[in-house]
Amino acid sequence: MKPGIDYIGVSVGALIVNDQGEMFLTKRGQKATNERGTWEIPGGKVHFGETLEDAVKREIKEEYGVDVVLTYQFPAQNHLLPEESQHWVPTCFIASITKNQEPKILEPEKCEAIGWFALDHLPTPLSIITKLD
């Protein structure tokens, strides 16, 4: 059974902001779970028994090799993808990367590109949940 497909999936994201006020966004690759080719706030699935905070820190470390500090939690959202037959309930955190670390793509099949973007110059297309957050 697969989360988000066979039952409602729980996921987390990190809205990572740098000292210049830019957002760290990632472009979903061909082996991403859904919304391939869109730009998004990075994150992933919550494992059984894992807190939301631990899940988002783990996902960012696994996928981009950096540690984050969480400063705020947004309310949960509805992430419905009827065309992909998926249903997720994500929670996003505002975060910053700890000193002297630069993110890099560690799972290239799931992520095609990364970048820092000003709010008035965001790439397109954005994922549904990134637009909501």
Side-chain angles (χ1 to χ4, degrees):
M1 297 202 26
K2 294 181 179 181
I5 298 170
D6 298 313
Y7 57 92
I8 298 169
V10 178
S11 61
V12 289
L15 175 70
I16 302 169
V17 181
N18 65 16
D19 292 338
Q20 293 75 44
E22 298 168 316
M23 294 173 40
F24 177 69
L25 296 177
T26 65
K27 187 174 183 183
R28 296 180 66 75
Q30 292 308 305
K31 294 209 175 174
T33 304
N34 52 46
E35 294 192 84
R36 293 168 195 89
T38 63
W39 287 88
E40 71 165 355
I41 294 166
K45 299 175 188 93
V46 178
H47 295 166
F48 181 81
E50 186 176 42
T51 67
L52 299 172
E53 295 84 358
D54 287 345
V56 73
K57 290 176 182 180
R58 174 188 51 76
E59 286 286 349
I60 300 304
K61 184 71 170 184
E62 286 175 359
E63 296 176 7
Y64 305 101
V66 295
D67 299 300
V68 292
V69 175
L70 308 176
T71 57
Y72 179 79
Q73 181 179 350
F74 290 117
Q77 297 278 357
N78 296 300
H79 189 191
L80 304 172
L81 301 160
E83 65 284 350
E84 296 189 59
S85 300
Q86 294 188 32
H87 182 172
W88 294 90
V89 177
T91 299
C92 184
F93 293 84
I94 295 177
S96 59
I97 296 175
T98 57
K99 292 183 182 178
N100 302 318
Q101 295 183 64
E102 191 62 37
K104 55 193 165 295
I105 298 171
L106 299 178
E107 296 180 350
E109 67 283 355
K110 293 182 183 176
C111 176
E112 294 179 359
I114 59 175
W116 292 96
F117 302 92
L119 271 175
D120 58 351
H121 287 93
L122 297 177
T124 57
L126 291 175
S127 71
I128 292 168
I129 195 61
T130 299
K131 289 178 195 176
L132 291 172
D133 287 337

